Each structure stands twice: as C-alpha cells, then as structure tokens.
Amino acid sequence: MNPTAITEAAQLIWSNFRDGTRVSALPESCLLTTRAEGYTVQAEVARLSGQPSVGWKIAATSVAGQKHINVDGPLAGRLLANRAFAAGSVAANSIDLVPSLLRVVEAEFTFRMGRALPPRVAGAGAYSVDEVMSEVASLHLAIEIPDCRFADFLHVGAPSVIADLACASWWIVGDAVTANWRDIDLASHGVTATKNGAVAADGIGSNVLGDPRVALTWLANELCVYGDGLLAGDYVTTGTCVVPVPCAPGDAFVMDFGVLGTISAKFP
C-alpha cells in the first residue's frame, strides 16, 4: 500500500472520528485488503489523533461477534488516552452518547502488563498463555462503549475495521482487582450486566475466545506480527463477556463480576 493511500485512508477515518460523523466505506483509491494494511492505517489514525495509547482492545472475540461484523477472527485496536477514564470519575460519567452509532455497552476483563512482550526472534515460536500471564501485573474490570466510523460497518471487512481502531471509542476501567484472581477460573466466571436496576444480560468469561487469558495471549502474538508487541503498563481489554447491551442517554449500568467486584457507569 503506497504512502498516499495510507494517508488518505487514515485522514478519512480520523476526520469522521473527530467530528462524530460516518462514512459508508473507504474509496477505491485507498481500499484496504489485508490485516497488515489495516494495522498500518490504524497507526496513522492514532498519530493523527495526537493522543498516546494506553493499551489495546480486542474486538470480535466470540463467534457470534465475528459473524455479526463478517470477520473471520478477532481484531486489535488502540485505546486512545483521551477516551479512557477511571471508573467513577467525572469524565466517565460525562460520556456523550448522542453521536454514537452503536450505542452499546460491554463488560470486560482487562489486564495490565507489568513487563513488555516484544516481538520474538525468528524461530522462537509464539508466546504461550503461561508466558504471557507471567508478565501481567494486575487484573481490572472494565466497561467498553465501542463505536464505528463506518456507517456500513457490518460489511466493510476486517482490514477497514482494524484501521478504524477495531471500533474503539470510550473505555472505563476500574482499580486493580484485590481478590486473588489468579486462582480463579476466569473462563467459567460469571458476569451480570444490570441496566437501570434490572438485569439486562448474563455472561461468562469463556465468551472471550474461550478464556480472557487466551484472548490476551492472542493479542500478544498478533502484535508480534503486526506491531511492536505489548509494552509495560499497557492495558488490554479482552472483549465482552455479555451480549452487548443497548444504551442511551440517561441510562445507568452496573457490571457485576461476583467476588472480583463491580464497575458502574451512568450516561448524562
């Protein structure tokens, strides 16, 4: 993909991201056909935003989610610093849903890296789950409010969705979990989403690529192929454990992770 096409695609995505608008699809002049092209454009979108990344999100971590947006596997996207908020903060409770196309909330396990996982030398093989988890510093509960800059996001294809930060938008993260989470089977751990005081969805950790730890490992290896690996301090939010719950201005949510705690959000 030539530099002119990369710039054109990134500028189109970023301008719609910035303005809260939509484009139907990328024009033929900068159409993306591979994951590598998608990640290259994503990096340029992040650069144009002027924001550092606080980590990564993983999209389409369930078969249902992959079928919904017509992709054949999970996708990774950067989390921009000015759209990542601490749970309970004024900013977290001031998110404007009006420009949002998707208008859903998701309950997610998030890991924070204690040490980096750089790309491995040729022939070293992929990172294992145990190798990746040994470099994790903490577990956090999170709420993601994804969005897309493509009006026809169901059909634009994986490379374009990747370029669009894998539908990253707003993200709310809690403090480090204090329970002994390493001894808990996160795959079988239940999660309940409550909307305006009523149960809206139930889920389980295995909805995330079979196990949130497996999802994190997938990302570590994906970034070895298409990036510079994971950095110390990076957050990785691993995908929704519950079916995405519709949200609107005025709604209040509590995501209950049982012994691991709860995280909440209220939209003005």
Side-chain angles (χ1 to χ4, degrees), residues 100-125:
S100 176
L101 174 66
L102 300 186
R103 289 204 183 185
V104 293
V105 295
E106 302 177 344
E108 309 199 357
F109 290 103
T110 294
F111 298 102
R112 193 174 194 195
M113 302 307 299
R115 289 186 288 272
L117 288 170
R120 307 188 99 164
V121 297

Side-chain angles (χ1 to χ4, degrees), residues 107-109 185-194 199-208 212 239-245 255-258:
E108 309 199 357
F109 290 103
D185 180 9
L186 298 182
S188 63
H189 194 77
V191 182
T192 299
T194 300
V199 173
D202 288 306
I204 194 169
S206 60
N207 288 337
V208 182
T240 185
C241 298
V242 301
V243 174
V245 181
M255 307 301 187
D256 189 344
F257 289 74

Side-chain angles (χ1 to χ4, degrees), residues 96-238:
D96 182 9
L97 294 177
V98 172
S100 176
L101 174 66
L102 300 186
R103 289 204 183 185
V104 293
V105 295
E106 302 177 344
E108 309 199 357
F109 290 103
T110 294
F111 298 102
R112 193 174 194 195
M113 302 307 299
R115 289 186 288 272
L117 288 170
R120 307 188 99 164
V121 297
Y127 283 112
S128 68
V129 172
D130 287 344
E131 286 176 311
V132 171
M133 293 307 300
S134 70
E135 308 302 344
V136 170
S138 52
L139 174 70
H140 302 252
L141 311 180
I143 295 174
E144 188 189 0
I145 308 98
D147 203 7
C148 192
R149 276 53 66 175
F150 292 109
D152 190 19
F153 65 93
L154 298 180
H155 301 104
V156 294
S160 287
V161 177
I162 289 170
D164 189 28
L165 279 66
C167 295
S169 184
W170 305 107
W171 181 65
I172 300 169
V173 64
D175 293 335
V177 169
T178 57
N180 188 15
W181 60 269
R182 290 185 186 270
D183 290 340
I184 293 174
D185 180 9
L186 298 182
S188 63
H189 194 77
V191 182
T192 299
T194 300
K195 175 180 176 180
N196 300 328
V199 173
D202 288 306
I204 194 169
S206 60
N207 288 337
V208 182
L209 283 184
D211 188 317
R213 293 164 292 200
V214 171
L216 175 64
T217 304
W218 172 86
L219 178 71
N221 289 310
E222 180 84 343
L223 296 183
C224 285
V225 177
Y226 298 111
D228 298 322
L230 284 168
L231 304 178
D234 273 353
Y235 289 96
V236 178
T237 194
T238 54

